[in-house]
Amino acid sequence: MRVALLSDVHANLHALRAVLDHVDASGVDRIYCLGDVVGYNAFPLECTNLVRERADFTILGNHDWAATVGTPDGFNPAAKAAVEYSRRLLDDDARAFLSACSPHASFRVNGMRLDLFHGSPREPLWEYVFPDDAPPLFDQLDHSLQADTPRVIALGHTHVPMILAAGELDPADVGELPSKFLHSNLDKDRAASLLLLNPGSVGQPRDGDPRAAYATLHTDSLRVQFHRVEYDVGAAARAVRDAGLPGLLADRLFRGR
Ligand code: ZN
């Protein structure tokens, strides 16, 4: 089975449509969304409706929480402005859909276990696991595992794609992922039975590549393919400005930061 993993759409409808076109062209069996459908960009309602229609499962992100049942306390001013904007634009159905999502989900697929967290297993809504933070987390996870059950843990929240593997991973085999975001051979005893990954962000990439990011997981082979998709960044940025959102949220889309 092939599962498309999408995260951090952040109300960027141009990027989301381009990614869904790419997903449809490549053919997948399921679409899972790792949270933060709203915030930062101009189309929170449209993106929520589209994710709701297309994703087989969606988990809650911190911006989704802040824009529905929570508060943006502690967010920076631009993020806070975008949360307040999202809150104004969401209708009752969209709000009910997002607020019913949980920040963690666990699935059994083809004999493997797939865990989705927006942030981290420790703090599903809030903790950032950047590529350099991930190896220590990976070591901790090892102890709680049944060695005979292949396991994939997918995270969002950082907007930086990465993959860590217990066994060997060929950098040439993971698609569009810079090699600095790949750690492999972390526990030879477990072979390739444990993967920790982040597909990157659809709507606001922060790894220096402005193209929309997502990943595909092949559950039979535990193979992961990272994808980058061109979209109309100019149109998304114009929409941010036209919506009256802070200009820096438009500018960063061009830089992928
Ligand atoms: Zn996010």
Side-chain angles (χ1 to χ4, degrees):
M1 189 167 93
R2 300 212 285 173
V3 180
L5 297 167
L6 276 54
S7 192
D8 295 278
V9 170
H10 282 301
N12 186 336
L13 186 62
H14 297 83
L16 177 59
R17 282 190 177 140
V19 163
L20 288 172
D21 285 347
H22 195 273
V23 164
D24 290 339
S26 54
V28 303
D29 304 295
R30 299 258 193 290
I31 299 175
Y32 292 156
C33 175
L34 294 164
D36 275 1
V37 178
V38 306
Y40 290 130
N41 293 292
F43 300 100
L45 177 62
E46 293 83 349
C47 286
T48 303
N49 287 339
L50 194 49
V51 164
R52 187 174 162 199
E53 176 191 324
R54 295 299 315 276
D56 295 279
F57 202 87
T58 301
I59 62 171
L60 182 78
N62 55 317
H63 289 251
D64 305 324
W65 176 82
T68 54
V69 291
T71 67
D73 295 348
F75 282 38
N76 68 51
K80 196 178 227 173
V83 161
E84 279 155 6
Y85 169 85
S86 292
R87 189 183 274 276
R88 282 199 304 278
L89 268 76
L90 290 176
D91 62 19
D92 289 346
D93 283 351
R95 200 174 300 114
F97 167 74
L98 289 174
S99 59
C101 296
S102 144
H104 167 226
S106 195
F107 300 91
R108 283 257 168 202
V109 207
N110 291 14
M112 61 158 265
R113 177 174 162 167
L114 172 61
D115 283 297
L116 314 179
F117 299 93
H118 181 65
S120 81
R122 272 191 301 240
E123 275 199 71
L125 206 50
W126 296 103
E127 187 180 26
Y128 289 92
V129 182
F130 286 98
D132 288 345
D133 308 324
L137 173 67
F138 194 90
D139 289 342
Q140 289 166 22
L141 289 168
D142 258 358
H143 302 294
S144 62
L145 283 177
Q146 292 160 292
D148 59 341
T149 306
R151 187 177 182 193
V152 175
I153 299 168
L155 314 175
H157 196 39
T158 63
H159 303 204
V160 178
M162 65 163 185
I163 188 163
L164 285 84
E168 204 67 61
L169 251 191
D170 185 350
D173 201 37
V174 294
E176 293 205 61
L177 182 76
S179 57
K180 65 181 173 182
F181 298 140
L182 181 149
H183 299 268
S184 78
N185 229 352
L186 295 172
D187 182 351
K188 292 189 182 70
D189 296 340
R190 293 191 181 277
S193 63
L194 175 60
L195 295 174
L196 178 67
L197 72 99
N198 186 321
S201 168
V202 171
Q204 194 195 73
R206 293 181 190 163
D207 61 344
D209 183 342
R211 294 176 299 165
Y214 82 99
T216 314
L217 166 68
H218 302 242
T219 60
D220 318 339
S221 58
L222 287 194
R223 188 158 167 259
V224 178
Q225 282 278 297
F226 288 84
H227 309 282
R228 299 308 285 248
V229 182
E230 304 265 5
Y231 75 96
D232 192 344
V233 177
R238 264 195 311 280
V240 167
R241 290 183 182 281
D242 290 349
L245 289 162
L248 65 93
L249 296 177
D251 297 341
R252 69 186 302 172
L253 294 174
F254 293 98
R255 289 180 282 113
R257 290 280 178 206

